[in-house]
Amino acid sequence: MTEASHKDGLPKDMLHILVLSLTFLHNLVDGSISCYDDSGKPVDWFIVYKLPQPHHRSPAGGMQYMYQDENTQGWVQGRSLMNNTKGAVGRTLQQLYTVAIRRQEETAYVLYNDAPPKTHSSTLKGHTKGAILLDQNQGFWLLHSTPHFPPSLAEKEYAWPHSALLYGQTFLCVTYSYDQFKEIGKQLLFTEPHVYDCRVEGTFAQDLPALLNASEGRHVQKEPWNSSAPLTSLGGKEFVSFAKFRFFGDDLYSGWLAQALASDLYVEFWHRSTGILPSNCSGNFRVYNVEEVAFQEPATSFPSMSDHSKWCVGTESDPGWACVGDMNRNCAEEYRGGGIICCRDPAVWKAFYSLVQNYTDCDGAGAIQSIRGMELEKGNRD
Ligand SMILES: *[C@@H]1O[C@H](CO)[C@@H](O)[C@H](O)[C@H]1NC(C)=O
Ligand SMILES: *[C@@H]1O[C@H](CO)[C@@H](O)[C@H](O)[C@H]1NC(C)=O
Ligand SMILES: *[C@@H]1O[C@H](CO)[C@@H](O)[C@H](O)[C@H]1NC(C)=O
Ligand SMILES: *[C@@H]1O[C@H](CO)[C@@H](O)[C@H](O)[C@H]1NC(C)=O
Ligand SMILES: *[C@@H]1O[C@H](CO)[C@@H](O)[C@H](O)[C@H]1NC(C)=O
C-alpha cells in the first residue's frame, strides 16, 4: 500500500473491518430478534436465576431474580420482576407476542415444555423446556426450567405463571445467527421436546429440516442416542450443547457430562422427586449433589429442596465449566430426553461456583464449601 492510497481514504482492510462492525452493530440494533437485558439493550447472552419465594411474603417476593451477561462480570440484582416485560426474560419473550405475530412470514418459533401451559404434562417426551424465535438473520434460544411457561401466542401476551412463584428457576438465553438453528434443530431431535406451539414454515422449513421435524414430534431413530454440538453465539462466544434421547438410559451428569468436560461437577437440581441419584464418585470425574445455594449480594440462601433450577459447575479442581440445562438427577430422567448447554468462561464459572454453599460428598456426608462456607455462616441463613 502506497502513501497516496492512505490519503485517498481508508486502507482496504480497515474498510472491511468497518463494514463488518457495522453489520454486527446493525444486527444488534433495536428490532433485531435477540436476547435483551434488563435495560432493553440487545445482548449476546444472559443467565437469569429466579430466586425462591421467601416464606410468608408477597407474590413480588417470588418473582425476584439475579442476572448476569458479558457486561456484568458475575451476578447483579435483576432490575424488574419475572412477570414484567421490562425484565430480561420478559423483554426477550415479548418478541413472540409482537414480532412473531406481526411478521408471520418472516419469523419462525418453537415453544416446548414437558409441563406446557394448558395441557397435561408429558412423561414420555423429553424433560426439557425452552423457547426459540428467529427471523432470516438471527434469533434466540432461551433454555429454562419453568413449568407452564411461556404462554402460547394465542394468549397474545407475556405472563408469569402463578405456579412458578415458590421455587427457584434458571434461564440461559443466547442470540444466534440463522445458520446455527440447523445445529440447534438437530440437538432437539435428541431431546425430543414436547412442543405446544410453533410455526416453522416456508424457507424456514426448507433450510431447517431438523427444527421442523423436532417441532412436529420426530426424533432420532438410530444410535448414537446422545449428541454434543458446539454452538457459536452471534457475538462469537463458544457454547457446547449436550443432548440425549430417552434410549440413552443413563444420568446426564455422571453417565456423560463429567467425563465429556473432564471435570468434577457440583450439580444443582430439583430434589423433590422420587429416585434421586446420590453423589457419584465411581467414574474418573466426580459428580456432587449441591444441597444448599447462597448468593452474597444481596445475601440470600436456600436449600436445593426449594430450587427447581438445573445447573452445574466445575469444582475448584478444574475452574472453568458452567452449564445450565434441563435435567435433574433421578432414575426416571435417565430414560427421558433432555440436555444442557455449557460454556467455559472464568466469570460465569466464578459466578456459579460461588453459589455452592453445601453439597453431599460420596460417603453421604454433608460438606461445607471451604472458606466461603465459613464467611456465610455468620447470619446469612435466609
Ligand atoms: C407483577 O406482579 C406484581 C406483584 O404481584 C404486581 O404488583 C404487578 O402488577 C405485576 N405486573 C405485571 C406487569 O403483571
Ligand atoms: C425429517 O423428516 C423426514 C420425514 O421423516 C425425513 O425424511 C428427513 O430425513 C428428516 N430430516 C432431518 C434433518 O431430520
Ligand atoms: C455419548 O455418551 C457417551 C458416554 O455415555 C460418550 O462416551 C460418547 O462420546 C457420547 N457420544 C457422543 C456422540 O457424544
Ligand atoms: C455412578 O454413575 C455411573 C454412570 O451414571 C453409574 O453407572 C453408576 O451406577 C453410578 N454409581 C453409583 C454408586 O450410583
Ligand atoms: C450440609 O448438608 C448436610 C447434609 O445434607 C447437613 O447435614 C449439614 O448440616 C449441612 N451443613 C450446612 C452448614 O448447612
Side-chain angles (χ1 to χ4, degrees):
M1 190 158 305
T2 65
E3 288 291 309
S5 78
H6 271 286
K7 283 196 201 107
D8 288 342
L10 291 166
K12 242 204 183 121
D13 45 10
M14 264 193 65
L15 202 66
H16 186 65
I17 288 167
L18 190 69
V19 169
L20 273 183
S21 1
L22 283 176
T23 314
F24 182 71
L25 282 176
H26 173 77
N27 287 343
L28 282 180
V29 294
D30 267 9
S32 301
I33 296 176
S34 175
C35 306
Y36 282 86
D37 72 6
D38 276 348
S39 66
K41 219 162 46 57
V43 285
D44 197 42
W45 59 272
F46 70 69
I47 297 169
V48 158
Y49 205 134
K50 188 206 88 80
L51 302 170
Q53 186 175 36
H55 299 294
H56 315 299
R57 298 263 177 83
S58 62
M63 291 188 286
Q64 282 163 348
Y65 60 92
M66 300 299 288
Y67 173 91
Q68 68 172 305
D69 65 23
E70 71 258 52
N71 306 312
T72 63
Q73 292 294 305
W75 300 111
V76 295
Q77 206 168 353
R79 288 206 225 156
S80 186
L81 292 175
M82 291 309 301
N83 66 345
N84 201 308
T85 51
K86 289 201 167 96
V89 171
R91 251 183 222 280
T92 300
L93 290 174
Q94 176 69 1
Q95 296 171 93
L96 288 165
Y97 315 98
T98 55
V99 181
I101 288 176
R102 275 203 315 267
R103 292 167 47 202
Q104 296 204 3
E105 260 114 77
E106 299 157 50
T107 56
Y109 70 91
V110 181
L111 306 183
Y112 61 92
N113 198 322
D114 53 284
K118 292 239 154 119
T119 50
H120 289 294
S121 296
S122 161
T123 51
L124 170 71
K125 293 251 177 189
H127 189 276
T128 179
K129 303 170 176 66
I132 288 171
L133 171 65
L134 67 150
D135 65 15
Q136 295 283 350
N137 298 315
Q138 64 185 64
F140 67 80
W141 181 15
L142 174 74
L143 185 154
H144 70 89
S145 64
T146 314
H148 316 300
F149 176 83
S152 57
L153 267 62
E155 301 298 319
K156 296 200 175 72
E157 60 184 16
Y158 176 79
W160 183 255
H162 202 258
S163 59
L165 294 176
L166 214 45
Y167 302 119
Q169 307 286 355
T170 33
F171 303 79
L172 167 65
C173 187
V174 182
T175 308
Y176 293 108
S177 65
Y178 186 65
D179 59 294
Q180 287 292 279
F181 289 91
K182 290 188 179 132
E183 285 307 316
I184 293 168
K186 286 187 200 158
Q187 292 299 87
L188 296 193
L189 291 171
F190 287 84
T191 58
E192 201 189 8
H194 176 81
V195 174
Y196 62 92
D197 193 12
C198 68
R199 183 180 63 229
V200 182
E201 291 168 357
T203 45
F204 296 100
Q206 278 164 24
D207 295 347
L208 313 169
L211 188 66
L212 172 68
N213 282 1
S215 75
E216 291 178 342
R218 285 193 277 274
H219 53 73
V220 287
Q221 296 289 344
K222 55 181 199 311
E223 285 187 80
W225 303 123
N226 55 325
S227 160
S228 67
L231 295 175
T232 307
S233 72
L234 189 68
K237 188 174 177 58
E238 299 287 340
F239 293 86
V240 189
S241 153
F242 294 85
K244 73 179 185 92
F245 185 59
R246 59 186 135 98
F247 293 171
F248 184 69
D250 200 348
D251 172 47
L252 172 71
Y253 305 93
S254 61
W256 182 20
L257 194 63
Q259 334 303 324
L261 300 178
S263 174
D264 295 342
L265 299 174
Y266 295 123
V267 187
E268 170 69 351
F269 62 95
W270 178 237
H271 285 221
R272 286 179 200 258
S273 65
T274 52
I276 297 281
L277 300 172
S279 294
N280 189 320
C281 297
S282 61
N284 289 335
F285 297 97
R286 295 156 179 226
V287 170
Y288 299 106
N289 294 351
V290 174
E291 298 292 337
E292 191 170 5
V293 171
F295 281 91
Q296 285 169 293
E297 274 298 320
T300 176
S301 71
F302 46 88
S304 301
M305 289 292 270
S306 303
D307 194 9
H308 196 258
S309 297
K310 293 120 192 27
W311 54 266
C312 67
V313 65
T315 67
E316 49 291 333
S317 68
D318 176 28
W321 289 104
C323 316
V324 176
D326 292 327
M327 308 298 290
N328 299 307
R329 298 195 68 235
N330 64 40
C331 299
E333 287 177 39
E334 296 189 0
Y335 306 94
R336 298 281 295 275
I340 198 158
I341 294 179
C342 301
C343 68
R344 202 174 162 86
D345 176 310
V348 178
W349 176 80
K350 198 167 162 228
F352 277 102
Y353 175 75
S354 74
L355 300 182
V356 180
Q357 169 73 357
N358 194 5
Y359 62 91
T360 319
D361 221 329
C362 287
D363 57 12
I368 309 166
Q369 195 181 305
S370 58
I371 316 152
R372 278 207 51 254
M374 306 300 174
E375 285 170 14
L376 279 154
E377 268 204 311
K378 302 190 195 105
N380 286 340
R381 284 290 115 81
D382 215 348

